[in-house]
Amino acid sequence: INDKWISFRSQIKNPHLSALFTYRELVKDEWKRDFLATQADFFDTSIIKPNQVHSSKVLFYNKNISKEDCDGTFSDNKRFVCSIQVADCMPIYFAHQYKYIFGLVHAGWRGLVNNIIINSGKLLLSKGYNLGDFDIIIGPSIQACCFEVGSDVVSLFDEKFIKNKNNGKFKVKLQQYAFNHLREIGFLKNNISIVKDCTYCMPKKYFSFRREGQKAGRMIGLIGARNTQGF
């Protein structure tokens, strides 16, 4: 078991793809995303690094990498690695079951209510892919036990994803909301995995912006082609 990151290899049917999510231990300067990709044995270390702005914008990269404002990236180029950084928001991984197609989305509550998941599905459909051929992993993120919001935010969510605390505050089941959107657009229930770890509840493992504020570090998510010679 690696003590620096979680490997999602077991949740991905495609033997040529790999995905990971770092623990908070990886905060040293030398553990940049490029170096991490080398250590984790990805095929290449050409990292797509979106400028995350809590948007619902997702982009597809296949020839050139440019840093743009968006919160989800997809690729069919095995020399690219998709990346994001998070500290409570959901890292959502997309891995085609037999082709070199993969993606990674940064989904906070703003992105969710503005349909970043629906946009991701539409992007893949526009490229001619069958959504039923993708494995999806919703990684460690703040869970309903700790995601407390007021009436202004909760009004944006369907009531079936809300727990009322009876004190003017509410708790939202973000992972179930994401799961519901994935199903609505056409991804298959049996292909979706949800990691139950709550980033807020587990300070020894994860950073949490809600718990630590501006001083919180960030976990890194990566997905891309494996360097199968190294396995």
Side-chain angles (χ1 to χ4, degrees):
I1 298 173
N2 195 306
D3 62 355
K4 294 183 173 66
W5 62 76
I6 303 169
S7 170
F8 294 124
R9 276 290 318 126
S10 62
Q11 287 103 309
I12 294 174
K13 297 180 183 69
N14 191 329
H16 302 294
L17 299 181
S18 193
L20 64 81
F21 186 76
T22 62
Y23 294 121
R24 69 177 292 152
E25 289 303 311
L26 279 186
V27 295
K28 298 177 182 177
D29 287 341
E30 66 264 28
W31 284 95
K32 301 298 184 184
R33 280 180 253 195
D34 309 74
F35 182 63
L36 175 59
T38 302
Q39 295 298 299
D41 232 352
F42 282 92
F43 181 79
D44 204 333
T45 57
S46 298
I47 313 291
I48 302 170
K49 302 172 183 176
N51 183 34
Q52 298 169 206
V53 290
H54 290 280
S55 69
S56 60
K57 184 179 179 181
V58 293
L59 297 174
F60 199 94
Y61 292 81
N62 57 12
K63 291 184 179 179
N64 300 300
I65 293 177
S66 59
K67 188 166 184 175
E68 299 187 49
D69 289 354
C70 68
D71 286 85
T73 62
F74 291 81
S75 183
D76 59 1
N77 187 331
K78 68 179 182 179
R79 293 195 173 277
F80 292 170
V81 178
C82 294
S83 77
I84 56 168
Q85 54 183 13
V86 292
D88 276 334
C89 296
M90 284 177 284
I92 305 182
Y93 300 76
F94 298 75
H96 198 281
Q97 293 178 349
Y98 54 90
K99 294 181 179 179
Y100 282 110
I101 314 296
F102 49 89
L104 187 50
V105 167
H106 159 246
W109 68 263
R110 293 177 182 85
L112 284 178
V113 299
N114 287 307
N115 294 326
I116 192 168
I117 289 176
I118 303 295
N119 292 347
S120 298
K122 287 179 177 178
L123 178 63
L124 293 172
L125 288 170
S126 75
K127 298 291 181 180
Y129 300 118
N130 181 350
L131 302 188
D133 291 332
F134 284 85
D135 291 318
I136 313 292
I137 303 157
I138 300 176
S141 45
I142 194 166
Q143 306 277 334
C145 53
C146 300
F147 185 65
E148 185 177 274
V149 296
S151 56
D152 54 336
V153 174
V154 83
S155 65
L156 302 171
F157 292 89
D158 188 287
E159 61 181 16
K160 65 183 175 182
F161 304 110
I162 298 165
K163 294 168 66 176
N164 191 340
K165 288 190 67 184
N166 299 316
N167 64 349
K169 296 289 185 179
F170 307 85
K171 293 192 173 181
V172 182
K173 303 172 186 176
L174 295 174
Q175 292 74 16
Q176 289 304 313
Y177 186 89
F179 178 86
N180 194 64
H181 269 200
L182 287 164
R183 292 285 292 113
E184 278 182 4
I185 192 68
F187 295 101
L188 300 182
K189 175 182 178 180
N190 292 339
N191 292 343
I192 304 170
S193 303
I194 301 176
V195 178
K196 301 296 185 182
D197 286 6
C198 175
T199 47
Y200 188 98
C201 283
M202 305 174 76
K204 291 184 178 179
K205 273 192 173 184
Y206 305 111
F207 295 111
S208 167
F209 187 84
R210 184 162 283 231
R211 187 184 63 238
E212 301 167 47
Q214 294 292 340
K215 66 178 182 179
R218 298 292 187 273
M219 285 81 70
I220 297 169
L222 298 178
I223 187 169
R226 297 172 72 197
N227 177 9
T228 51
Q229 298 301 315
F231 286 82

